[in-house]
C-alpha cells in the first residue's frame, strides 16, 4: 500500500503488508511451470504426428519453425524451475507457432493434398496461453482468434487436407472455444487472487489495529491504576500538613518503584512494522503538537525496525514537533514517513514539515541542546542523520534518515490445509458460463453436422446425455464441492456419450460430426476436477482413453486418428490439474500467512503497547512529576509551601487527564495549570466514551487553550457530549460576560453570547 494518509480520528494507520502480492506471484510461478510442462507434453504427440508430414515440408521451414518450437519447449522447464520467469520463451513459442501456421501453405512442397491437418494444431491451444503469459490475457484472446481463423483457411487448402467448409468451421470453433475458456479461467483466477491478496492485507491491517487498541487499552488501564492509586494518593497526602513526613516519603518511594517496574525494558520486544512505527511517532508527537498529521508511504516487503530504533526516531520527532510548538507559530504540521525495501536493504525517511515563520539554521549555535542532543546525537546513535532546511518566512523541514537490515518477528510458522482458501477464489457465475459455453457450442456443432451421420439417433441421444451430465456437474456449484455420487454420474454419462458416438463410427475415416463430443468430455472432466473430485476426473479420463483405444483398434483408425481423439482431453485435463495444484498451494500459503500474521500481530501489538507505555506515557509522566516525587521520597527533605502547591496543581492535572482525556493535551494542561494559578476555575467533563473525531479534537484543544490562556478570572467549563449529539463539545466561559462555544461533529466552531 503506497501513499496512505494516516488519520488519527480513525485510529488506523495504513501500511504496506509484507504478504501483499504473494499469492499473485505464486499463481504466476505455478502457471509458468504448468505451461512449461504442458508444452513439453505437447511436443511428443506433435513430433509423432509430424513424422508423416516432414517429407512434404520445406527444410528451411522445418529448421526455423520446427527447430524453434522444439528448442523453446525444451528450455521452458529449465527456466520455470530455476528462474520462474518464462515470459520471453512463451512469447517466442507463440510467435514461431503462429508464423509456422501462416506459412504452412508455402512450406508444403507436395503436389498432393495432405491426409491430415497440420501437426501445428496440437500446439495452437497452448500457444494462445503462452501469448497471454508473455503479454496480457487480451493479447492471448486476439492470438486465439487469429490462429483459429488462419487454421480454418489452411484446412481448406490442399496443404491442410482440403476439408469441407463445415469441418473447417468445426475446427475453428474448437480452437476458439477451448483456449478462450482457459484464458478466461486464468484471467479470473489472477484477478481473484489479487483481490484475495488485497482482502487479506486489509483484514490484517484491521486485525493489527484492533490488537494494538486492545493492548494499549490494557496498558493504559494499568498505568491509570498506578497514577490513581500510587501517584495521586502520594500528592494528596503531601498536601495535607498533618501527615507524618515518613508516610509521605514511603508513599512516594513506592510510587517511584512502581513506575520504574512498569517502565522496565523487556526481552520480548518485537520488530515494528511501518504501521506500528507511524502510530508510535503519532502517539509521541500528539501531546506536544496536536495539529500534526502523520502520513505513511510504505513500499517493499518485510520492512521492520527494532524497538530501540523506533524509540529514538520517535524521540527525535517529538523534539522537532516540540520546537514547532515553541517557536514556529505554525498552523499546519506534517510528518511524512517513507519506508522502503530495495534488494534486501531498507531505508526510512521521516520529514517533519511546518508552515511556520522559519529561521536561519546558520544562526543556531552548534551546542544548542535541543538540536544537538535531542535530535542529532540520538539519530547518530542508531546510525541515522538529521538535516534541517529552513529560512525566515518559509517554514521548516526536519529530515531524519535511517537505513538498516530487516528484522523478522520471532514467531514460528504453522502449516494448515487450504481448501477453504482455494474455494474462496472460485466465482460461480464465470465457472458456469465457461462450462455451458463450451458444451453449448460443441452440441450446436454436432447438431448442424448430424445430417451427415449414417444414424443420427445415437448422436442426438448422446447430445441429450451430455446436457444431463453438464447439469449434474454444475449442480449447486456455488454452495459445496461435488459429491462422489454426482462425480460418478457425470463419468457414467460421459462414458455413455463416448460409447454412443463410437457406435456410429465403426469403419473408415471419421466424419466431421464426430469431433464435438471430445470437447464435452474434456470440459466436464475439468469441471469435476475443479469441484474437488480429482480422482473421479482422472478415472473418467482413463475410461475415455480405453474406449478410444478399443475403438481405434476395432476400426483400424491408426495412431494419427487416435492421437486426434485423445490429445485434447489429456492435454487440458493435465493442464487444469497442474493449475489447480498450484492454486491449492497458493491457498495453503494464504492460510499459513494469515495464521502467522495473526500470531505476529498479537506479539507485535503487545511489544508495541509496552513501548508506548515506556516511551510515551511514562516519559511524559516522569517529566511532570519525577523531580517532585524524588523530593517527596526523601524523608529528610522538608516540603515548602510552594512544593505543596505544586502537589495540589499536579494532582489536579493528573485528575483532568484521567477524567477528561479528550479535552487535554500538554499545551492545554500547561495553560490550565497557569490559569488555576491566576484564580480561574477550570472544569473538564468528558461524557464521550470514545475518542473525539480528529477535526473535533483539534478544534477543541485550540479553542480551549485560547480561552484558558486569555482568561484572568471567572469560570470555564468544557464538556463533551455522548456520541450522537449535534454538538460534540461545549465550552462555557463565565467572566465579565457569558460566552458559549459549540463544536459540531465536523469540527465547526460557533461562538455566541448567552
Amino acid at each position: 500500500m503506497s501513499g496512505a494518509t494516516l488519520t488519527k480520528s480513525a485510529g488506523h494507520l495504513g501500511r504496506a503488508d509484507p504478504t501483499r502480492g504473494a499469492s499473485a506471484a505464486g499463481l504466476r510461478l505455478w502457471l509458468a511451470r504448468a505451461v512449461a510442462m504442458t508444452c513439453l507434453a505437447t511436443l511428443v504427440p506433435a513430433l509423432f504426428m509430424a513424422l508423416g508430414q516432414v517429407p512434404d515440408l520445406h527444410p528451411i521451414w522445418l529448421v526455423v519453425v520446427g527447430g524453434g518450437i522444439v528448442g523453446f519447449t525444451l528450455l521452458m522447464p529449465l527456466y520455470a524451475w530455476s528462474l520462474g520467469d518464462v515470459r520471453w520463451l512463451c512469447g517466442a513459442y507463440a510467435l514461431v507457432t503462429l508464423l509456422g501456421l501462416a506459412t504452412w501453405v508455402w512450406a508444403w512442397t507436395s503436389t498432393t493434398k495432405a491426409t491430415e491437418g497440420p501437426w501445428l494444431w496440437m500446439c495452437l491451444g497452448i500457444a494462445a496461453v503462452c501469448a497471454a503469459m508473455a503479454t496480457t490475457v487480451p493479447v492471448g484472446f486476439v492470438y486465439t482468434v487469429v490462429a483459429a481463423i488462419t487454421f480454418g483457411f489452411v484446412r481448406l487448402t490442399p496443404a491442410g487436407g482440403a476439408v469441407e467448409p463445415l469441418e473447417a468451421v468445426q475446427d475453428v470453433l474448437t480452437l476458439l472455444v477451448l483456449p478462450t475458456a482457459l484464458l478466461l479461467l486464468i484471467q479470473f483466477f489472477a484477478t481473484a487472487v489479487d483481490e484475495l491478496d488485497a482482502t487479506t492485507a486489509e483484514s490484517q491491517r484491521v486485525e493489527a489495529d484492533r490488537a494494538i487498541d486492545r493492548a494499549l487499552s490494557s496498558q493504559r488501564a494499568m498505568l491509570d491504576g498506578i497514577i490513581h492509586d500510587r501517584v495521586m494518593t502520594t500528592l494528596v497526602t503531601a498536601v495535607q500538613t498533618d501527615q507524618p513526613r515518613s508516610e509521605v516519603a514511603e508513599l512516594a518511594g513506592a510510587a517511584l518503584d512502581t513506575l520504574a517496574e512498569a517502565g522496565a525494558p523487556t526481552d520480548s520486544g518485537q520488530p515494528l512494522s511501518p504501521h506500528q512505527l507511524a502510530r508510535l511517532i503519532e502517539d509521541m508527537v500528539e501531546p506536544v503538537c496536536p495539529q500534526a498529521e502523520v502520513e505513511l508511504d510504505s513500499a517493499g516487503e518485510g520492512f521492520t525496525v527494532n524497538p530501540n530504533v523506533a524509540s529514538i526516531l520517535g524521540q527525535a520527532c517529538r523534539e522537532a514537533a516540540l520546537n514547532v510548538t515553541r517557536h514556529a507559530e505554525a498552523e499546519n504540521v506534517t510528518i511524512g514517513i517513507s519506508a522502503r525495501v530495495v534488494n534486501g536493504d531498507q531505508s526510512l525517511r521521516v520529514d517533519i514539515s511546518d508552515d511556520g515563520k522559519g529561521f536561519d539554521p546558520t544562526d543556531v549555535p552548534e551546542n544548542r541542546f535541543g538540536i544537538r542532543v535531542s535530535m542529532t546525537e540520538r539519530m547518530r546513535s542508531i546510525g541515522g542523520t538529521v538535516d534541517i532546511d529552513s529560512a525566515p518566512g518559509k517554514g521548516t523541514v526536519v529530515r531524519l534518515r535511517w537505513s538498516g537490515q530487516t528484522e523478522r518477528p520471532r514467531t514460528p510458522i504453522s502449516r494448515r490445509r487450504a481448501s477453504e482458501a482455494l474455494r474462496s477464489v472460485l466465482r460461480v457465475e464465470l465457472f458456469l458460463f465457461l462450462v455451458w459455453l463450451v458444451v453449448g457450442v460443441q452440441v450446436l456443432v454436432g447438431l448442424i453436422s448430424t445430417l451427415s451421420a449414417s444414424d443420427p439417433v445415437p448422436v442426438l441421444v448422446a447430445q441429450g446425455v451430455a446436457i444431463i451430465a453438464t447439469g449434474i456437474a454444475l449442480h449447486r456449484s456455488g454452495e459445496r464441492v461435488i459429491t462422489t455420487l454426482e462425480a460418478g454420474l457425470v463419468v457414467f454419462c460421459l462414458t455413455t456419450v463416448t460409447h454412443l458416438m463410437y457406435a456410429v463410427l465403426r469403419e473408415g475415416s471419421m466424419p466431421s460430426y464426430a469431433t464435438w463430443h471430445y470437447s464435452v468430455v474434456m470440459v466436464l472432466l475439468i469441471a469435476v476436477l475443479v469441484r474437488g473430485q480429482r480422482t473421479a476426473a482422472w478415472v473418467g479420463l482413463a475410461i475415455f482413453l480405453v474406449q478410444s483405444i478399443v475403438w481405434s483398434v476395432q476400426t483400424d483408425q491408426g495412431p494419427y486418428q487416435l492421437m486426434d481423439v485423445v490429445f485434447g482431453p489429456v492435454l487440458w485435463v493435465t493442464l487444469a490439474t497442474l493449475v489447480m495444484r498450484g492454486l491449492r498451494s497458493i491457498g495453503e500459503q494464504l492460510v499459513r500467512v494469515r495464521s502467522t500474521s495473526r500470531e505476529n500481530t498479537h506479539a507485535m501489538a503487545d511489544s508495541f503497547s509496552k513501548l508506548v507505555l515506556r516511551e510515551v506515557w511514562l516519559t511524559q509522566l516522569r517529566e511532570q512529576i519525577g523531580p517532585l516525587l524524588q523530593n517527596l521520597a526523601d524523608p529528610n527533605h522538608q516540603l515548602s509551601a510552594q512544593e505543596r502547591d505544586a502537589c495540589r496543581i499536579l494532582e489536579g492535572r493528573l485528575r483532568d487527564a484521567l477524567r477528561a482525556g479528550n479535552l487535554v493535551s500538554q499545551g492545554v494542561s500547561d495553560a490550565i495549570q497557569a490559569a488555576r494559578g491566576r484564580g480561574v476555575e477550570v472544569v473538564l467533563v468528558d461524557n464521550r466514551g470514545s475518542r473525539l473525531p480528529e477535526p473535533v479534537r483539534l478544534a477543541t484543544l485550540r479553542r480551549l487553550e485560547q480561552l484558558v490562556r486569555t482568561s484572568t478570572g471567572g469560570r470555564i467549563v468544557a464538556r463533551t457530549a455522548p456520541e450522537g449529539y449535534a454538538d460534540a463539545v461545549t465550552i462555557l466561559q463565565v467572566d465579565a460576560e457569558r460566552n458559549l462555544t459549540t463544536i459540531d461533529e465536523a469540527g465547526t466552531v460557533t461562538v455566541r453570547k448567552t
Side-chain angles (χ1 to χ4, degrees), residues 233-234 237-238 240 242-254 632-633 635:
T233 298
T234 300
T237 303
Q240 300 172 1
D242 57 343
Q243 294 296 327
R245 186 68 189 84
S246 59
E247 180 178 344
V248 174
E250 183 178 352
L251 290 173
L632 294 178

Side-chain angles (χ1 to χ4, degrees), residues 672-682 711-716:
I672 290 176
Q673 180 176 327
R676 284 172 175 163
R678 299 193 302 270
V680 180
E681 182 183 1
V682 181
S711 294
T712 57
R715 188 168 185 253
I716 296 176

Side-chain angles (χ1 to χ4, degrees), residues 129 141 144 174-188 430 433-435 437-438 522-523 526 572:
V129 177
F141 286 137
T144 300
T174 300
L175 287 174
L176 277 176
V177 172
L178 298 180
T180 297
L182 185 61
L183 289 174
L184 285 173
L185 194 63
I186 292 174
Q187 176 65 44
F188 153 68
L430 182 61
F433 169 75
L434 292 177
V435 174
L437 173 66
V438 176
M522 178 192 66
V523 75
I526 292 176
W572 295 109

Side-chain angles (χ1 to χ4, degrees), residues 285-291 325 620 624 653 656-657 660-673 684 697-698 700-702 704-705 709:
V285 167
E286 197 269 346
V288 299
C289 189
Q291 72 269 33
T325 301
Q620 296 170 7
Q624 293 176 2
R653 185 167 181 156
D656 288 340
N662 274 314
L663 297 171
V664 295
S665 66
Q666 182 164 320
V668 171
S669 296
D670 291 342
I672 290 176
Q673 180 176 327
L684 306 178
R697 175 171 164 78
L698 188 57
T700 299
L701 295 178
R702 285 176 174 173
L704 183 58
E705 183 174 355
R709 288 192 183 279

